[in-house]
């Protein structure tokens, strides 16, 4: 949940930039690049990665209540929807830079979706899911997950920059 606080701070910045985009009718591509990097690396790969690859994986092996099972499905779907909107934002940013007039409204739509999604998504996780679902785990299971979270974070930077070098090597 600590990671949620940083994501919320970034969403606040995105909201301010979105208001500026709407009032001035221009897209700051450097800002979009910064936000996309944050969204893909921190929010999705780091944060959602730990949720999906560790917590959700382990919860799926438990006999969840109907409510918790429903929320788990919703959370996974919301992660998928966020990834789709980030891809749309990247596409719109690229088209905008090439002078495509329709790209601005597509970027606005993607940003609107994301600033609406994340506060609700985080509230759902913080207040209705994370704390209640901890009761499905023993103390030993929780300790193992925390160690796995730590290892996940520790390896993330290596994974990120290895992928970057491979991309450059391929000439992309």
């Amino acid at each position: 949940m600590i990671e949620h606080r940083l994501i919320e701070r970034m969403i606040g910045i995105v909201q301010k930039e979105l208001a500026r985009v709407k009032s001035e009718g221009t897209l700051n591509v450097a800002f979009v690049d910064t936000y996309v990097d944050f969204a893909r690396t921190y929010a999705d790969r780091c944060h959602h990665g730990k949720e999906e690859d560790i917590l959700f994986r382990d919860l799926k092996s438990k006999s969840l209540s109907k409510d918790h099972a429903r929320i788990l499905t919703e959370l996974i779907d919301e992660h998928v929807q966020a990834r789709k909107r980030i891809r749309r934002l990247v596409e719109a940013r690229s088209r905008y830079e090439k002078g495509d007039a329709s790209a601005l409204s597509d970027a606005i739509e993607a940003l609107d979706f994301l600033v609406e999604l994340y506060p609700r998504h985080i509230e759902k996780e913080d207040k209705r899911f994370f704390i209640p679902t901890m009761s499905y785990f023993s103390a030993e299971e929780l300790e193992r997950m925390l160690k796995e979270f730590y290892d996940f974070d520790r390896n993330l930077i290596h994974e990120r920059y290895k992928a970057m070098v491979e991309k450059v090597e391929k000439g992309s």
Side-chain angles (χ1 to χ4, degrees):
M1 292 187 337
I2 292 168
E3 293 169 2
H4 284 163
R5 306 299 73 86
L6 189 60
I7 294 168
E8 287 169 335
R9 287 171 57 195
M10 178 56 94
I11 290 299
I13 295 165
V14 173
Q15 287 172 322
K16 289 177 186 169
E17 178 61 16
L18 180 58
R20 188 208 58 78
V21 169
K22 289 177 178 179
S23 72
E24 295 178 13
T26 61
L27 189 65
N28 179 338
V29 295
F31 177 83
V32 171
D33 291 344
T34 298
Y35 174 60
V36 167
D37 180 51
F38 176 86
R40 284 183 166 166
T41 304
Y42 188 78
D44 193 39
R45 184 67 190 117
C46 178
H47 179 70
H48 295 163
K50 284 193 294 265
E51 290 175 344
E52 293 173 358
D53 297 351
I54 301 168
L55 176 62
F56 295 175
R57 174 203 67 203
D58 290 357
L59 279 170
K60 287 178 183 178
S61 71
K62 304 293 183 179
S63 295
L64 300 179
S65 71
K66 287 182 182 179
D67 189 44
H68 290 149
R70 178 186 52 76
I71 293 172
L72 177 60
T73 299
E74 290 173 6
L75 294 173
I76 292 168
D77 182 59
E78 289 167 3
H79 291 175
V80 169
Q81 293 303 315
R83 288 179 190 117
K84 285 180 183 178
R85 284 312 194 293
I86 291 295
R87 280 192 301 272
R88 288 183 190 172
L89 178 59
V90 169
E91 291 165 3
R93 176 242 180 264
S94 179
R95 291 183 8 250
Y96 179 84
E97 198 169 47
K98 294 175 185 171
D100 181 342
S102 68
L104 184 63
S105 63
D106 292 345
I108 289 170
E109 185 279 328
L111 291 168
D112 270 332
F113 180 88
L114 292 161
V115 300
E116 290 295 319
L117 171 74
Y118 270 104
R120 287 183 289 109
H121 178 80
I122 288 170
E123 181 178 15
K124 185 185 302 184
E125 286 181 338
D126 283 357
K127 295 186 178 171
R128 296 177 36 218
F129 193 73
F130 284 166
I131 293 171
T133 60
M134 293 303 103
S135 65
Y136 290 104
F137 299 107
S138 68
E140 294 80 21
E141 288 171 317
L142 290 171
E143 186 62 34
R144 182 192 47 74
M145 268 196 294
L146 284 175
K147 181 183 179 328
E148 219 175 327
F149 288 163
Y150 173 78
D151 291 344
F152 186 97
D153 282 347
R154 194 183 72 216
N155 293 325
L156 185 61
I157 193 164
H158 299 285
E159 178 184 300
R160 174 174 165 71
Y161 288 102
K162 179 180 179 228
M164 179 187 291
V165 169
E166 290 171 351
K167 181 178 180 182
V168 171
E169 285 174 337
K170 291 178 185 175
S172 338

